[in-house]
Amino acid sequence: MYRCEQCYTVVPAKTPALHLVTQQRPRSYPFREKANREIKRKGPDNHYRHDQGGLGWEVAESVKVCERCFSRAEERQAA
């Protein structure tokens, strides 16, 4: 059981919580040298791969909502 953070109704027990993203922010990930180790079956040498980094988005804020509020939000985004 939980309370929807948009309409404030109590959701019945055993109902999964749905998280609605309300804010996102841009994020840049730096280049990392030798970030990932590759283990080879033959030979004692370990080989490393670089992580290229890049640009992306991360969740800044989310709220727990009921199914009705979640479907309404999806309809607004689609329109």
Side-chain angles (χ1 to χ4, degrees):
M1 285 177 63
Y2 65 93
R3 186 174 296 273
C4 177
E5 294 180 14
Q6 282 194 332
C7 66
Y8 302 108
T9 59
V10 177
V11 179
K14 297 185 181 181
T15 303
L18 299 169
H19 295 273
L20 181 65
V21 176
T22 56
Q23 290 182 355
Q24 290 181 329
R25 60 180 165 233
R27 175 83 161 100
S28 63
Y29 300 97
F31 173 81
R32 298 184 304 160
E33 187 174 345
K34 297 183 179 180
N36 301 310
R37 183 175 73 172
E38 290 182 349
I39 299 172
K40 302 288 183 179
R41 290 189 181 237
K42 295 180 181 178
D45 296 339
N46 289 327
H47 298 280
Y48 294 93
R49 288 186 298 139
H50 305 305
D51 183 8
Q52 298 300 321
L55 299 174
W57 293 90
E58 68 181 11
V59 175
E61 185 179 316
S62 67
V63 292
K64 227 184 306 187
V65 295
C66 61
E67 290 181 30
R68 187 173 27 155
C69 292
F70 190 79
S71 62
R72 282 187 205 156
E74 284 185 333
E75 288 173 3
R76 277 187 253 141
Q77 287 179 354

